[in-house]
Amino acid sequence: MSKNNQTILIAKNLSDVFYHVKSTDTLQIFGGGTDTEQLQEKALTIRAIPELQGFDRHEHFIDFGPAITLSDMIAIGRTNQPAILYDALESIATPTIRNIATLGGNICAEGIKHTLWAPLLALDTRLEFRTQNEVKYIQLREFTEIPQGFVLTKVRVPTEVWEVAIFKRIGPSHSIAGDSASFVFLADTDQNILANIRIVLTGNTVFRSPELENRVIGARLPLSQKIRETFIEQAAVQFDQLVPESETKTIMKIQFLNLVRYSVGQLS
């Protein structure tokens, strides 16, 4: 199928994908194609491949196909997947767009990190990439680009239950802009002791600091005001160190610290 100067190929199975990837150096792979203006001269859609459209639930994780639509993920229900992932899905665009947009497209979109990056990163998601003869596994926290010649074939999301799970979106509703960001706060307790915590902000940058998280793990609940304020100060320092300068950094820092303060307050 051709459109203007573009050639759009349709893969019916993974063998088709591997063949085209091997034979075309500049091939772009996409799912729903919500932004066709960004398609390269040669593109391949994987939307019609059944094994990349579904999901498999296991005891401790869910394996999603990268071509599953955001609407199909929402249809799984909030109680059958991590709550923050469901909340993030519902915040994306409109039902019409969610019927087309795919999980893989949200993860692999160029430029600003899209909405699902924050919850997927906080949940320690793992990506599976394949060629016809090789498989690679990459943790999302280490993912920067699709390995040359490989295809994203699976997104594994752990399903552990967190006592506190907060998702907040920053920036315009239902669209991605330069000041868009997603915030996630997860926490678990054990006998009034903070056993685990994860704080993630993604957008123009990716913020997660195990050093910051470790500073408060082991604290007794409820957190004292001194501990809360010290933690906010440490979060500000980490933000300055890890987030590069940009036009939106100052306002993003204010929003981030307000969200951290609110989230930590839920533990008190």
Side-chain angles (χ1 to χ4, degrees):
M1 177 171 62
S2 295
K3 181 179 180 181
N4 299 328
N5 294 323
Q6 296 174 335
T7 299
I8 300 178
L9 305 169
I10 301 174
K12 297 181 179 179
N13 51 55
L14 276 176
S15 295
D16 285 349
V17 178
F18 296 141
Y19 169 78
H20 288 298
V21 168
K22 187 175 181 180
S23 59
T24 308
D25 292 335
T26 59
L27 186 67
Q28 180 183 7
I29 297 176
F30 70 99
T34 55
D35 190 1
T36 56
E37 292 182 0
Q38 299 299 317
L39 292 181
Q40 298 174 6
E41 185 177 345
K42 293 184 179 180
L44 174 71
T45 176
I46 61 172
R47 181 70 181 273
I49 301 178
E51 63 190 283
L52 300 184
Q53 295 177 335
F55 68 96
D56 291 313
R57 282 185 56 84
H58 302 269
E59 185 175 359
H60 300 296
F61 57 86
I62 303 177
D63 282 334
F64 291 102
I68 188 171
T69 67
L70 306 187
S71 289
D72 285 342
M73 293 179 69
I74 289 174
I76 295 171
R78 194 173 191 272
T79 59
N80 295 318
Q81 61 186 306
I84 56 166
L85 180 57
Y86 182 90
D87 293 343
L89 285 162
E90 281 212 312
S91 78
I92 296 173
T94 64
T96 299
I97 296 297
R98 294 197 294 265
N99 285 337
I100 302 171
T102 63
L103 173 61
N106 200 278
I107 293 171
C108 298
E110 294 184 358
I112 188 170
K113 297 293 186 283
H114 284 207
T115 305
L116 298 184
W117 255 84
L120 293 175
L121 180 59
L123 292 166
D124 283 340
T125 294
R126 189 187 76 177
L127 309 178
E128 176 190 275
F129 298 91
R130 289 182 177 270
T131 66
Q132 195 159 10
N133 303 308
E134 189 178 355
V135 181
K136 283 187 177 182
Y137 300 103
I138 301 177
Q139 292 296 128
L140 185 63
R141 63 177 177 271
E142 300 169 352
F143 174 65
T144 55
E145 61 181 359
I146 298 174
Q148 182 65 36
F150 281 76
V151 177
L152 176 62
T153 50
K154 191 178 295 182
V155 180
R156 175 164 292 184
V157 182
T159 54
E160 58 191 304
V161 178
W162 294 80
E163 291 178 51
V164 179
I166 298 170
F167 169 83
K168 297 291 184 181
R169 185 170 175 144
I170 299 171
S173 300
H174 306 310
S175 64
I176 297 294
D179 58 348
S180 295
S182 296
F183 172 87
V184 165
F185 179 94
L186 298 175
D188 260 340
T189 64
D190 183 13
Q191 297 182 348
N192 290 326
I193 299 294
L194 185 58
N196 202 357
I197 185 174
R198 294 178 189 172
I199 301 173
V200 174
L201 180 77
T202 62
N204 272 324
T205 187
V206 175
F207 177 94
R208 185 183 174 195
S209 172
E211 178 184 343
L212 174 66
E213 296 165 358
N214 289 337
R215 286 178 179 271
V216 74
I217 289 177
R220 181 168 294 279
L221 301 177
L223 299 177
S224 68
Q225 182 176 351
K226 181 178 180 180
I227 290 177
R228 295 199 306 270
E229 291 305 318
T230 299
F231 186 72
I232 301 303
E233 293 172 2
Q234 293 165 345
V237 171
Q238 288 292 301
F239 190 91
D240 285 337
Q241 291 177 351
L242 298 179
V243 176
E245 292 296 333
S246 69
E247 293 180 0
T248 60
K249 180 174 180 177
T250 300
I251 186 65
M252 193 68 68
K253 179 181 177 180
I254 294 171
Q255 293 173 309
F256 170 71
L257 294 178
N258 285 339
L259 288 169
V260 173
R261 182 177 287 105
Y262 166 80
S263 301
V264 172
Q266 305 309 299
L267 301 174
S268 302

